[in-house]
Amino acid sequence: EFVLTQSPGTLSLSPGERATLSCRASQSVSSSYLAWYQQKPGQAPRLLIYGASSRATGIPDRFSGSGSGTDFTLTISRLEPEDFAVYYCQQYGSTTQYTFGQGTKLEIK
Amino acid sequence: EVQLVESGGGLIQPGGSLRLSCAVSGFSVSHNYVSWVRQAPGKGLEWVSVIYSGDRTYYADSVKGRFIISRENSKNTLYLQMNDLRVEDTAVYYCARDLMGMIDFWGQGTLVTVSS
């Protein structure tokens, strides 16, 4: 079973600070098929990053993704008020089963 | 403009069946992968199923044998037939355009509540 573990569960920061979110896979993610999504309350998720490090259309450059193999990171360089939300990583290297991490809640300190 | 609009959710008793629909505009369901993803109340995202442009279908282990994904090309609509529903199937169900795994457009979701 493919498992993605996100840490921390909750991250408390202030606007203007840097956020670093981690996603660790139980096995290597094929060809960096790793995506990140942002979800705000009452809304559908929004694709931020795909292929571990490519920004989706319209995503500000303060969002960046990195990593390979089993360890991946989402970094938000300077937090804006609208960035406080829940973030999920997802692997799609196994095309017959996709897996999401359990999420990291980014809250205002 | 890409839009996905789900419908068909509601309250259903355990063991019952329900069919969700997803009306799509802005892209062709016959030429794209389309997935269902669900989210239990207060919980994280769980991928449910995908249908490929070539008609292959895949399911999460938790729904395999109970759910069936299909599409109607003439209506550009995706379906999810859900049978033998369980309490743990209670969730908001999203349909979404699937670009070989990464999901770039999502519907607004439809709530399915399984309860006696």
Side-chain angles (χ1 to χ4, degrees):
Chain A
E1 181 188 358
F2 206 118
V3 177
L4 294 178
T5 303
Q6 293 186 240
S7 61
T10 301
L11 184 58
S12 300
L13 294 170
S14 300
E17 291 191 293
R18 180 185 186 90
T20 303
L21 287 67
S22 174
C23 176
R24 177 162 289 179
S26 60
Q27 53 192 283
S28 185
V29 178
S30 173
S31 301
S32 293
Y33 287 152
L34 193 287
W36 289 92
Y37 300 86
Q38 176 194 67
Q39 188 179 33
K40 297 179 180 179
Q43 296 184 16
R46 177 174 71 145
L47 177 67
L48 299 175
I49 300 288
Y50 63 93
S53 60
S54 298
R55 272 188 302 276
T57 302
I59 301 304
D61 60 7
R62 65 180 181 273
F63 290 91
S64 63
S66 62
S68 63
T70 60
D71 289 291
F72 299 87
T73 300
L74 174 70
T75 301
I76 310 171
S77 58
R78 284 180 57 87
L79 285 166
E80 297 288 342
E82 62 268 27
D83 298 337
F84 292 91
V86 179
Y87 292 83
Y88 295 94
C89 59
Q90 177 220 3
Q91 73 80 23
Y92 52 99
S94 169
T95 53
T96 61
Q97 296 268 329
Y98 306 155
T99 310
F100 288 93
Q102 84 280 14
T104 289
K105 182 179 181 181
L106 179 56
E107 64 177 24
I108 299 177
K109 187 174 182 179
Chain B
E1 181 189 6
V2 172
Q3 283 194 321
L4 304 100
V5 179
E6 303 93 337
S7 60
L11 175 63
I12 186 77
Q13 291 190 335
S17 297
L18 207 58
R19 189 178 81 156
L20 305 183
S21 300
C22 174
V24 173
S25 57
F27 72 92
S28 168
V29 298
S30 63
H31 295 123
N32 285 270
Y33 295 8
V34 196
S35 274
W36 288 96
V37 177
R38 68 184 181 182
Q39 186 169 35
K43 302 297 183 182
L45 301 170
E46 180 187 17
W47 172 78
V48 173
S49 181
V50 62
I51 184 166
Y52 287 3
S53 51
D55 287 339
R56 277 183 294 168
T57 58
Y58 296 97
Y59 300 90
D61 290 340
S62 58
V63 306
K64 201 173 294 183
R66 299 188 298 123
F67 289 13
I68 300 171
I69 190 172
S70 64
R71 62 178 177 232
E72 189 168 356
N73 295 340
S74 63
K75 294 185 176 180
N76 212 32
T77 297
L78 179 74
Y79 301 102
L80 186 68
Q81 177 67 41
M82 304 186 295
N83 302 320
D84 188 24
L85 282 161
R86 305 167 180 170
V87 171
E88 55 266 33
D89 295 319
T90 294
V92 173
Y93 285 73
Y94 296 100
C95 66
R97 188 172 78 169
D98 180 333
L99 297 183
M100 296 183 67
M102 67 180 194
I103 298 172
D104 66 342
F105 285 99
W106 302 67
Q108 85 290 349
T110 186
L111 176 63
V112 172
T113 303
V114 184
S115 174
S116 55

